Amino acid sequence: MAESTIPQRTLAGWDKPDLDLTDADWQSGSQGRGDVQIAFVDGFIAMRNAGRPGSPSLIFNPGEWRAFVLGAREGDFDLT
């Protein structure tokens, strides 16, 4: 397999740790019917696609998670 020629850059302001999510206790957001799962790990909140658990997870600090949840409740992400 050929190595990527795209240079890897550290994102400015990226202060997220490289969390080990191997033994995370993943919880479904909608009684098992949704496609999103979350886990609380080392003071952070990880979110992943339940249908593709091996894909990358989003990592939120508590303030970011609160803003995300409040925005979702207000319909900020409603695409319909």
Side-chain angles (χ1 to χ4, degrees):
M1 176 182 273
E3 290 189 35
S4 173
T5 58
I6 300 171
Q8 298 297 315
R9 296 181 293 146
T10 301
L11 299 175
W14 183 257
D15 58 350
K16 305 298 190 303
D18 188 16
L19 297 176
D20 180 4
L21 302 175
T22 306
D23 295 323
D25 181 21
W26 293 99
Q27 303 168 33
S28 293
S30 58
Q31 301 171 348
R33 295 187 304 262
D35 291 328
V36 175
Q37 293 179 318
I38 62 169
F40 299 92
V41 180
D42 297 333
F44 289 87
I45 299 88
M47 183 168 66
R48 72 178 184 183
N49 179 339
R52 297 183 61 203
S55 64
S57 298
L58 297 174
I59 307 297
F60 297 88
N61 68 36
E64 292 166 335
W65 182 250
R66 178 174 168 72
F68 173 75
V69 170
L70 291 175
R73 287 181 183 161
E74 294 293 320
D76 291 349
F77 311 113
D78 187 3
L79 301 177
T80 59

